Amino acid sequence: MHRVFNAVMATEGEFGQIGRALQAVLQRTEAAWQSRNERISQESPNLRLVAVTKTKPKEMVLEAYKHGQKNFGENYVQELVEKSHDAEILKACREIRWHFIGHLQTNKVKKVLEAPNLYMVETVDSVKLANELNKTWEKLAKGWRLKVMVQINTSGEEQKHGVPPSQCCDLYDHVRQKCGALDVVGIMTIGAFDHDLSKGPNPDFQTLIKCREDICSKFGLPKESIELSMGMSNDFEHAIEVGSTNIRVGSTIFGARNYKPKVETAQQNPAEKPSETQMPDTQLGHSSHQDHVTGVANLAL
């Protein structure tokens, strides 16, 4: 049985708030893993924790990495570019693995693929995007195939990206057969956020599992060869229990997202300086990063 938690279990006294939160997630992850039945454990033998640092400052990346976390996820292209190229992160986090987990437009592909230590793109949702990723990765001549996942819209919500389940086999096979620079390792979904588990298993997770069964049946592949990326802060334990191999956890480790408020610039006095909440993160002083850190949920064991 192989687990890829990529974080160090240690005594509580060695951790700050992020360390304690990460430790708590790892212990909950372990408990969910242990509750799996034998069949699910055989079909999904590995597990990876991706710490999602969307809207969070680089200090949080550095802190989590210090406690052994290696896989980090970003939703926005610009955030991935800035953090992956950051000199301090490059120096201190030499084994970091970046996952791009947001919607990716073809005109932004080159920026993402040039990110240092890029490990995986989890959101391939069209033949057009797959072809662009393949073409660009070939030109970059990195010397290895880029890991990708096919994104499936299991909930059918219009605001969610991904191919419908009925097209999962076609897109998966296209990447497998036509995109030689890419290594398609699995499928992912976001799913609906408000499922009530008292009514039964999350249907979006069950749909993703069914998509894996369809792909394996059609192309003669073993189930354990296809990863399932599903489960976030609100449902990662359930996702693990039903077979996830890749969970994406952000706010449970780093606290609530720090979205910038929209500013009505037309109503703002040009002579006034923008407030700290309106400034880009790069213009904020050290104290603002401390505010982000103290906002992390206290999950001390």
Side-chain angles (χ1 to χ4, degrees):
M1 186 179 295
H2 183 212
R3 279 163 278 186
V4 194
F5 294 152
N6 285 327
V8 178
M9 304 289 274
T11 61
E12 181 183 341
E14 298 177 28
F15 290 113
Q17 282 186 303
I18 290 176
R20 289 195 298 271
L22 181 59
Q23 178 83 341
V25 167
L26 289 172
Q27 293 201 349
R28 291 167 62 187
T29 297
E30 177 70 21
W33 176 275
Q34 293 295 342
S35 71
R36 287 175 159 185
N37 63 40
E38 184 176 356
R39 177 185 60 80
I40 291 175
S41 295
Q42 290 175 347
E43 294 175 353
S44 299
N46 303 322
L47 180 60
R48 180 190 302 108
L49 168 62
V50 177
V52 181
T53 48
K54 176 173 67 173
T55 79
K56 298 300 180 181
K58 70 176 183 180
E59 285 80 1
M60 289 191 171
V61 175
L62 293 165
E63 181 70 13
Y65 186 89
K66 183 177 72 174
H67 294 299
Q69 180 63 29
K70 297 294 192 296
N71 290 279
F72 290 83
E74 286 293 341
N75 292 67
Y76 303 132
V77 172
Q78 191 57 35
E79 277 201 83
L80 173 66
V81 170
E82 290 175 359
K83 290 174 186 172
S84 66
H85 284 88
D86 182 84
E88 192 172 358
I89 289 178
L90 285 170
K91 181 179 179 181
C93 310
R94 296 185 182 277
E95 296 181 5
I96 197 169
R97 294 176 169 184
W98 290 107
H99 295 237
F100 187 74
I101 59 174
H103 179 59
L104 181 57
Q105 297 174 318
T106 54
N107 64 344
K108 300 291 181 65
V109 161
K110 190 170 186 289
K111 285 186 176 182
V112 169
L113 298 197
E114 288 178 339
N117 299 308
L118 178 69
Y119 181 70
M120 187 184 299
V121 175
E122 296 194 22
T123 48
V124 178
D125 60 1
S126 68
V127 167
K128 180 181 179 182
L129 178 58
N131 290 343
E132 187 65 26
L133 286 165
N134 186 65
K135 180 179 70 174
T136 305
W137 193 253
E138 283 183 337
K139 288 181 179 179
L140 292 174
K142 295 281 189 175
W144 65 89
R145 296 163 70 201
L146 174 66
K147 295 182 185 297
V148 299
M149 291 190 183
V150 168
Q151 183 177 6
I152 300 171
N153 185 346
T154 55
S155 63
E157 297 169 273
E158 290 185 3
Q159 68 270 29
K160 298 279 177 64
H161 296 282
V163 295
S166 61
Q167 297 177 20
C168 68
C169 290
D170 292 340
L171 182 53
Y172 194 94
D173 194 47
H174 175 83
V175 180
R176 194 169 67 103
Q177 299 287 354
K178 304 295 185 181
C179 300
L182 307 182
D183 180 15
V184 57
V185 298
I187 53 181
M188 75 87 77
T189 190
I190 296 175
F193 296 111
D194 56 355
H195 176 68
D196 182 358
L197 288 177
S198 67
K199 298 180 180 179
N202 188 320
D204 293 317
F205 295 168
Q206 296 303 309
T207 297
L208 196 70
I209 293 168
K210 178 62 164 59
C211 286
R212 179 172 69 174
E213 292 175 354
D214 292 344
I215 292 169
C216 290
S217 176
K218 186 168 185 177
F219 305 119
L221 302 173
K223 291 180 181 178
E224 61 269 21
S225 70
I226 298 178
E227 290 199 40
L228 298 176
S229 178
M230 58 188 190
M232 297 184 288
S233 284
N234 62 319
D235 55 15
F236 70 87
E237 288 160 298
H238 173 58
I240 293 169
E241 290 167 357
V242 298
S244 179
T245 67
N246 190 83
I247 55 173
R248 311 178 303 272
V249 181
S251 58
T252 301
I253 299 172
F254 302 107
R257 307 280 188 233
N258 301 306
Y259 292 108
K260 298 173 187 175
K262 293 182 179 179
V263 180
E264 297 294 337
T265 54
Q267 298 178 6
Q268 186 177 353
N269 185 339
E272 294 179 353
K273 291 183 179 180
S275 67
E276 281 195 342
T277 57
Q278 297 167 359
M279 287 183 179
D281 290 342
T282 53
Q283 296 180 20
L284 296 180
H286 179 70
S287 61
S288 69
H289 294 316
Q290 291 298 318
D291 291 340
H292 290 318
V293 172
T294 56
V296 175
N298 187 352
L299 296 176
L301 302 178

